[in-house]
Amino acid sequence: MAYKRMSRNDAYMNVANVEDDEDVIDLLEVARAILKHIKLIIFLCVVFGATGFFGTKFLIAPKYTASTSIYLTPQINDTGSLDYNSQMANSKLVTNVVNLMTQNNIMSEVAKDVGLENASSVKNCITVSNESDTEIVTVTATTEDPKLSKDIANGTVDTFIKTMQKNLNVRNIEIVDKAKLSYVPSGPNAKKNGVLAAAVGFVLGAGYAILRYLLDNRLRNKEEAEKYLGIPVFCEIPEV
């Protein structure tokens, strides 16, 4: 059996007392529309996910990260305990250390030592951070060459300490942990990119299904006819 197909707009024009809540989107119908296109959605998820994973794996060069830390050591007073004034001075100095570490004079010297073109080349590879409520400053270098990352991190710290000792006579900076050579990539994360790409595929597939549902204003069965016309259906036109 088949029902006469007509647009919902035509149905609304023929019935004057259509209730206001008829324009509310039926979430159950939306879910059915998505399930109707589930094969397409799964296909898009698989294609996008695989593209994101293998594209990251084979088309994007891996990154290698190396880190080293320095510590602003406080002075020891005559009683053998930490000097409070020295600690307070170091707390204020640590912010300046973070900023001074990436100054052009330091970066230029490091660039010369590791074989990069200029200070900007080094500055783009490193991040300098301070652990909260400590006098520890960490220098992290990330490049496509694990040895270069290690050399930049260690070179930045070594050059900075020498410069501070020479120009400002600051001698309370110690290296806590030198950067080590590691051949384990720090990024990009192929699995994460694959999952994100699969999520994009799902959104596109579900969006297509919902859009088709919203744009389809036909009356497809008896239930829809009664719902949108507001009157019972007493006869059906047989399918020819």
Side-chain angles (χ1 to χ4, degrees):
M1 302 295 291
Y3 303 95
K4 182 179 180 181
R5 293 175 178 245
M6 61 186 298
S7 72
R8 294 176 187 169
N9 293 333
D10 293 337
Y12 294 150
M13 293 176 64
N14 293 332
V15 180
N17 59 346
V18 177
E19 296 181 359
D20 293 336
D21 61 353
E22 288 180 348
D23 290 332
V24 177
I25 296 176
D26 190 335
L27 296 181
L28 183 59
E29 290 296 327
V30 171
R32 288 173 179 169
I34 293 176
L35 290 176
K36 182 180 178 181
H37 296 84
I38 192 64
K39 291 183 179 180
L40 173 63
I41 294 173
I42 294 175
F43 174 76
L44 290 177
C45 287
V46 172
V47 171
F48 275 71
T51 301
F53 178 83
F54 291 108
T56 301
K57 201 79 171 175
F58 299 109
L59 299 180
I60 301 178
K63 300 287 186 179
Y64 300 90
T65 298
S67 298
T68 181
S69 301
I70 61 174
Y71 175 58
L72 304 183
T73 58
Q75 296 179 356
I76 306 297
N77 57 30
D78 297 336
T79 62
S81 59
L82 297 177
D83 184 72
Y84 176 77
N85 293 330
S86 175
Q87 283 184 300
M88 294 301 297
N90 286 345
S91 297
K92 295 179 180 179
L93 179 61
V94 70
T95 302
N96 292 329
V97 169
V98 172
N99 293 326
L100 290 171
M101 192 85 72
T102 56
Q103 295 300 306
N104 284 334
N105 60 330
I106 304 293
M107 296 290 93
S108 296
E109 191 67 29
V110 176
K112 187 189 302 181
D113 294 339
V114 300
L116 293 180
E117 296 180 359
N118 48 46
S120 297
S121 300
V122 178
K123 190 178 295 187
N124 292 335
C125 297
I126 71 169
T127 57
V128 182
S129 60
N130 166 237
E131 296 184 24
S132 180
D133 299 324
T134 71
E135 285 71 56
I136 297 176
V137 176
T138 301
V139 178
T140 303
T142 303
T143 70
E144 296 178 3
D145 182 349
K147 184 177 183 304
L148 179 60
S149 296
K150 177 184 76 71
D151 292 343
I152 290 176
N154 288 332
T156 299
V157 167
D158 292 339
T159 302
F160 175 74
I161 292 175
K162 291 177 182 177
T163 302
M164 294 292 284
Q165 290 176 345
K166 179 181 178 181
N167 297 341
L168 301 176
N169 197 31
V170 176
R171 302 185 180 277
N172 66 327
I173 302 177
E174 294 185 2
I175 298 176
V176 178
D177 187 23
K178 275 188 169 292
K180 297 177 179 60
L181 184 64
S182 174
Y183 291 98
V184 178
S186 58
N189 192 323
K191 291 182 180 179
K192 179 180 178 180
N193 289 349
V195 171
L196 291 176
V200 172
F202 174 82
V203 171
L204 291 177
Y208 170 78
I210 294 173
L211 188 62
R212 285 204 58 175
Y213 165 76
L214 294 177
L215 295 179
D216 185 2
N217 60 0
R218 295 172 299 172
L219 299 177
R220 293 173 291 272
N221 52 47
K222 175 184 175 181
E223 288 73 19
E224 287 191 0
E226 292 179 340
K227 174 182 177 181
Y228 291 102
L229 290 173
I231 56 177
V233 175
F234 294 106
C235 65
E236 300 173 355
I237 301 177
E239 186 174 345
V240 180

